[in-house]
Amino acid sequence: MSRSSPWPDERLVKAAQDGNISSLTAVIMESQPHVRRFALSLCATPQDAEDAAQEALIILYRKIGTLRASGALASWMFRIVRNECLRHLRLLTSASVTEEAGSEPAPSAETSVLRRLDAERVAAAVSGLPRDQRQVLIMRDVQGYPGRLVAQSLGLSNAAMKSRLHRARAALRQALAADEAAEGEAQP
């Protein structure tokens, strides 16, 4: 399919919602390139993007009947993909926190909730970064890949990778600071 292929039309989506299997298959096939492209733009790695796209298409298959308006398919799918990419990021974040915790005593319930909220804030801020910065930041800082490997896998020079990483970290700090300032203003 070409880059400009349209989303499935409303009649096809409506037929799929009504249980027509061939229509459902067509909706999934026509949605797939859009879902994958969006996942690639949002997730850190092609593997995460593929997982998120597959998960989103499975959700489409299982829950198309819950879609309220047949014309809202694109926004519904993008929301699902975004949530899947954030879920992958949270899993990576929580896995790295668990690794670092090691032999420390179990945290209190309050500490666990605060950590989860912090992880969600960071995940949301990371998802707001431009794709090129998000990829470098996640591969280097979250997944812990060496700089040379990150640069090589993204087809960048070491200097370009370091520059993107610096911009990503600065943008992330700025987003988190703005988020904290907004929270501070919202509290009495």
Side-chain angles (χ1 to χ4, degrees):
M1 283 190 180
S2 72
R3 231 172 147 62
S4 61
S5 64
W7 278 89
D9 67 35
E10 289 187 44
R11 288 179 310 204
L12 190 61
V13 173
K14 180 68 177 136
Q17 287 177 301
D18 292 339
N20 182 302
I21 298 298
S22 61
S23 295
L24 178 57
T25 302
V27 167
I28 290 170
M29 295 303 291
E30 290 178 23
S31 299
Q32 187 177 20
H34 301 288
V35 169
R36 287 201 171 157
R37 204 167 23 258
F38 185 67
L40 280 169
S41 73
L42 190 58
C43 292
T45 66
Q47 294 81 12
D48 287 349
E50 185 63 30
D51 290 348
Q54 285 180 4
E55 211 40 55
L57 292 169
I58 289 169
I59 291 169
L60 170 63
Y61 174 79
R62 289 183 181 157
K63 298 187 176 187
I64 193 163
T66 64
L67 178 62
R68 290 191 185 118
S70 55
L73 178 66
S75 61
W76 187 57
M77 291 307 298
F78 287 155
R79 227 177 10 260
I80 292 169
V81 171
R82 180 183 156 275
N83 290 342
E84 283 301 312
C85 289
L86 286 172
R87 187 177 66 78
H88 279 271
L89 185 58
R90 281 189 209 110
L91 289 174
L92 285 172
T93 305
S94 66
S96 65
V97 167
T98 304
E99 276 180 23
E100 290 174 11
S103 61
E104 294 178 13
S108 68
E110 180 182 1
T111 302
S112 294
V113 168
L114 291 174
R115 279 186 183 163
R116 193 181 83 243
L117 290 173
D118 281 345
E120 288 175 2
R121 263 187 48 230
V122 170
V126 168
S127 73
L129 292 173
R131 180 176 184 234
D132 60 335
Q133 291 178 12
R134 185 175 55 248
Q135 286 178 321
V136 170
L137 181 84
I138 290 174
M139 291 179 77
R140 184 73 177 101
D141 290 351
V142 176
Q143 295 173 329
Y145 293 128
R148 286 181 191 253
L149 180 63
V150 172
Q152 183 181 18
S153 66
L154 295 175
L156 301 170
S157 67
N158 279 339
M161 186 280 301
K162 287 178 182 180
S163 176
R164 282 188 189 175
L165 182 60
H166 176 74
R167 285 193 312 268
R169 287 173 176 166
L172 185 61
R173 274 192 299 273
Q174 185 177 10
L176 292 172
D179 188 39
E180 283 181 19
E183 279 183 19
E185 292 174 7
Q187 293 180 355

